[in-house]
Amino acid sequence: MQKGGVMMAESSYELKKKIVKYANRYFRMRGFSPSVREIAAELGVSKSTIHNYLVEMNDDGMVEYNGKDIVTYQFMHCCMNYFSAPVIGNINCGNPEEEEEEVREYVRLPESIFGHGEFYILIASGDSMVDAGIDDGDYVVIERTSNCKVGDIVVAMNGENENTLKCYTGVHNGKAILEYMNEEIYPGEYIAVDKLIVQGVARTVIKQAKPKLKSDFVFAK
């Protein structure tokens, strides 16, 4: 078989399947496609062989290959149903502090759960929202919106023009109330602001695994 001036043996369907399988696994782990060199090293064949197979697989519609990036059907399906949300740092859940919008990484989120919209992720810091299920170090997925309703967990500006993560509980005496959610440590505490400025509403929390130490377990004697 002649391909681009290079003689190729009859293509092995099994090798094609191995290429696709490895590309899918690589994408799941890293979020982008492997290089020809990486596929060749994994499968124990030459780079030129992998390149020629990819060209043929592209012509056959098995993958999309532009000489650099490889896109399988599974890649395409995943990309169509997921979107990337930036992790932009910490937001305080105790005393309000200014949140610095600096992208640390991107996290892929499923549209089937979050729907369409603009989202970002903040890392919770502090203990004032534990009754709402938000612990120190948790990732809080925020929809970027200025609209909220009573009972929403919001990213809002306090009276000193700083961001804080609190529960919006309505208006009292002409002031918007941002309430702490930790009755044990902050019973009845809240922040009252003249004007409610919301920069996002929490939609879900991604919990951070906190394995117990041996000292946390009770051993039978």
Side-chain angles (χ1 to χ4, degrees), residues 89-99 122-140 142 153-156 162-167 178-183 185-186 189-191 202 205 207:
N90 295 71
I91 188 164
N92 199 272
C93 295
N95 296 319
E97 76 176 12
E98 188 173 1
E99 169 264 317
L122 295 172
I123 304 172
S125 174
D127 57 8
S128 75
M129 298 302 291
V130 297
D131 291 347
I134 302 174
D135 297 306
D136 186 71
D138 287 345
Y139 279 28
V140 185
I142 308 292
I153 306 299
V154 300
V155 178
E162 297 170 336
N163 278 339
T164 187
L165 185 69
K166 294 292 179 287
C167 180
L178 303 171
E179 196 167 310
Y180 287 63
M181 299 293 288
N182 186 334
E183 279 300 306
I185 299 177
Y186 307 104
E189 288 198 32
Y190 62 87
I191 300 167
V205 178
K207 305 297 291 184

Side-chain angles (χ1 to χ4, degrees), residues 143 145-156 166-171 176-179 196 198 200-203:
E143 181 178 5
T145 178
S146 60
N147 299 319
C148 70
K149 62 182 183 297
V150 172
D152 280 343
I153 306 299
V154 300
V155 178
K166 294 292 179 287
C167 180
Y168 171 59
T169 58
V171 177
I177 305 300
L178 303 171
E179 196 167 310
L196 181 64
V198 173
V201 176
R203 295 307 185 197

Side-chain angles (χ1 to χ4, degrees), residues 6-157:
V6 178
M7 291 299 296
M8 292 182 61
E10 185 65 28
S11 296
S12 165
Y13 183 64
E14 288 302 314
L15 181 56
K16 289 180 179 181
K17 290 199 299 184
K18 287 180 181 179
I19 292 172
V20 171
K21 183 177 180 180
Y22 176 69
N24 284 333
R25 186 171 73 248
Y26 190 102
F27 180 81
R28 288 196 304 270
M29 294 175 62
R30 305 195 183 187
F32 52 89
S33 67
S35 66
V36 169
R37 177 184 57 79
E38 289 168 320
I39 297 174
E42 172 68 18
L43 301 183
V45 296
S46 69
K47 291 191 295 183
S48 61
T49 297
I50 294 298
H51 170 75
N52 290 332
Y53 268 89
L54 286 170
V55 170
E56 182 177 301
M57 292 162 72
N58 178 77
D59 292 343
D60 293 342
M62 193 171 182
V63 301
E64 291 184 7
Y65 176 60
N66 61 9
K68 179 181 178 183
D69 299 313
I70 306 158
V71 179
T72 69
Y73 170 79
Q74 290 83 357
F75 281 28
M76 193 175 302
H77 182 75
C78 178
C79 291
M80 288 173 59
N81 292 279
Y82 282 76
F83 62 92
S84 295
V87 178
I88 59 174
N90 295 71
I91 188 164
N92 199 272
C93 295
N95 296 319
E97 76 176 12
E98 188 173 1
E99 169 264 317
E100 297 180 359
E101 187 166 325
E102 178 181 344
V103 175
R104 298 185 178 186
E105 59 179 315
Y106 287 87
V107 174
R108 296 179 65 78
L109 300 174
E111 287 185 357
S112 59
I113 295 176
F114 296 95
H116 297 282
E118 185 178 0
F119 295 87
Y120 60 95
I121 296 173
L122 295 172
I123 304 172
S125 174
D127 57 8
S128 75
M129 298 302 291
V130 297
D131 291 347
I134 302 174
D135 297 306
D136 186 71
D138 287 345
Y139 279 28
V140 185
V141 181
I142 308 292
E143 181 178 5
R144 195 183 296 275
T145 178
S146 60
N147 299 319
C148 70
K149 62 182 183 297
V150 172
D152 280 343
I153 306 299
V154 300
V155 178
M157 307 297 286

Side-chain angles (χ1 to χ4, degrees), residues 170-177 190 192-194:
V171 177
H172 181 67
N173 292 333
K175 292 182 181 291
I177 305 300
Y190 62 87
V193 294
D194 294 325

